[in-house]
Amino acid sequence: MKIADRVQQIPPSGIRKFFEIAEEMDDVISLGVGEPDFTAPWAAREAAIESLKDGKTSYTANRGMRELREAIAKRVSVQYDFTYDPDTEVLVTAGASEALDVAFRALVDPGDVVAIAQPSYISYVPGVTFAGGEPLPVPTHEEDDFKLTREVLEANGVADADLLVLCYPNNPTGAIMTESELAEVAAFVREHDLTVLSDEIYADLTYGEEHTSIATFEGLRERTVVFNGFSKAYAMTGLRLGYALAPAKTIGAMNRVHQYSMLSAPTTAQYAALEALESCDGDVIEMRDQYNRRRQFVLSRFEEMGIDCFEAKGAFYVFPECPWEDTDAFAEQLLQEQSVALVPGHVFGESGTGHLRVSYATGLDDLREAMARIEAFLD
Amino acid sequence: MSTRDELLALLLENARYSTEDLARQMGADEAEVTAAIEELEASGLIRGYQAVVDWDRADRERIRALVELNVTLDRETGYDDIADRLVKFPPVKSLRLVSGDYDFALEVEGDSLREVSKFISEKVAPVPEITQTVTHYIMETYKDRGFEMGDGHDDGRLSFSP
Ligand SMILES: Cc1ncc(COP(=O)(O)O)c(C=O)c1O
């Protein structure tokens, strides 16, 4: 059977090789996991169960349950000084992943250039390629704390791009961008009439600095699609629920793709999400506090080992420099010899080369053991 | 969160965290943490440290019972007096005065059913002020002090994920 070119063009994921090794081993402590080790808040799980008991097993409206869209809009209005209209400006999807995919397909024409701030979440480049667009990597560097700056945007030809994808707090670096830093990007975006896809799925997981959305800057709401979801902050990865916020015309276009591919997001998950928004903020804060303590633990251990590690302020990753020249060899040997799994930074784009992604979405006992094993490995 | 609350939260999560681990997580000095713990202990806010054991997994049998106690008070004896007597018995693991249909909720632990029932009938029931005891043997524990029992929490997650 013939496989479509644009699919063949995508190389298999860079973490696959390691995954295959890890599969064969027992006793692996994985710091390679990009999902919470917590279980979804009980209230959300219970709401899902109740909805099933009530027989809520049909499709919902394509855009998602009205109640949930309202709850999302209400939540957002607390953070921004404007609201999204639940009827026309909110789209509920099967994970932020689906929202991203739908956005690429709805907004990118063949040949359109989509600038992607890197290191980045691994799905953006393939997503753009599947939609027929041209991914344009925009490298950020440790010297700038992995933040996007006007110089970087200018130097990489983003002025001529059509779209710009950003993700702060960032997977894999854990970088965040403050309001003033984002303002600079917003100005650039306005000047060059770009569309922004802002993945804010880690928005609730920041340590010290409050999250700012780029959509809140003057003139940006009209040109930005915001992505969010319940996977990270609410530890609901398996429920597959996310959403997009954008002006009505954009959401309408995205919904046109969504309604033919997904019809509607999982109904059970929508009930869980509604409950999560209504009653699970305490759980989010508790999980965030635990992440923060682990973050401090991991950062201080790397410092002790003399491994240079940028002080991540968001998500649940740190992105230390790899002590060896050859990051793949380091990751592979560490896995083979010490059964500790982590991800080479280049998987997230060339600018991640020479780094490692270390997830602290793992209990402290395992983290402590993993760090001890890394230390032993370095000796 | 204050340092004290943060420390308490961590110790409630795992009382075996070393001071070093506690300090790292809190971004504090070890000396500070040691001092804070000493203060918590000295002030009596922390009363002790214990393991949470899933006895269903042990070879050794462990019997637990919840006992409802009804009492009558007179001029000389109050709840505290009765409690003072009961807390002295080692098999008594917890004792609480509660509102509702009965007065005290008592938790008793022993090595066998016989031992537990003997203790209740010979030591608890004869206390003059106690008018009634209703014993509930614990048949299965699903959660204890915040920890879920039963099947271990196998990490079924992928060893790598995006
Ligand atoms: C930056 C980023 N965006 C999106 C996703 C996917 O989220 P969801 O589970 O909502 O599809 C992830 C998951 O790792 C992520 O890290």
Side-chain angles (χ1 to χ4, degrees), chain A residues 95-97 100 121 124 166-171 198-205 211 226-234 237 240-243 315-317:
Chain A
S97 303
L100 283 158
Y121 175 52
Y124 305 145
L166 4 135
C167 172
Y168 296 98
N170 183 268
N171 173 6
S198 181
D199 185 345
E200 302 180 9
I201 195 153
Y202 294 102
D204 288 330
L205 301 180
H211 166 74
V226 173
F227 302 87
N228 208 327
F230 296 84
S231 286
K232 310 296 173 173
Y234 295 96
T237 45
R240 311 302 312 124
L241 208 79
Y243 57 88
F316 35 61
Y317 312 102

Side-chain angles (χ1 to χ4, degrees), chain A residues 18-19 22 30 32-37 121 171 289-290 293 296-297 300-301 304 342 357 361 364 368, chain B residues 1 5-6 9-10 13-14 16-18 20-21 23-27 148 155 157-162:
Chain A
F18 298 95
F19 181 69
S30 184
V33 190
E35 70 174 318
D37 59 320
Y121 175 52
N171 173 6
D289 287 345
Q290 286 204 39
R293 295 186 204 118
Q296 288 170 336
F297 179 84
S300 78
R301 288 292 275 125
E304 214 167 62
L342 30 72
R357 188 189 75 173
L364 190 75
R368 186 206 285 123
Chain B
M1 225 194 295
D5 289 348
E6 196 176 358
L10 284 166
E13 188 181 297
N14 183 351
R16 279 176 57 90
Y17 284 150
S18 64
E20 194 186 353
D21 286 353
R24 284 180 198 289
Q25 291 189 79
M26 295 168 57
E148 286 184 35
D155 193 342
R157 299 183 300 161
L158 295 171
S159 42
F160 288 94
S161 73

Side-chain angles (χ1 to χ4, degrees), chain A residues 275-302:
Chain A
E275 185 63 30
L277 286 175
E278 277 170 5
S279 74
C280 301
D281 288 348
D283 301 79
V284 176
I285 290 168
E286 204 169 296
M287 291 189 273
R288 191 188 58 201
D289 287 345
Q290 286 204 39
Y291 288 134
N292 191 23
R293 295 186 204 118
R294 297 171 183 179
R295 181 184 70 103
Q296 288 170 336
F297 179 84
V298 171
L299 285 171
S300 78
R301 288 292 275 125
F302 275 129

Side-chain angles (χ1 to χ4, degrees), chain A residues 62-81:
Chain A
N62 292 134
R63 286 163 189 259
M65 279 160 32
R66 168 91 222 238
E67 258 177 300
L68 175 58
R69 280 181 277 131
E70 270 172 8
I72 291 167
K74 199 168 132 213
R75 165 60 53 103
V76 169
S77 72
V78 176
Q79 287 163 318
Y80 305 164
D81 55 4

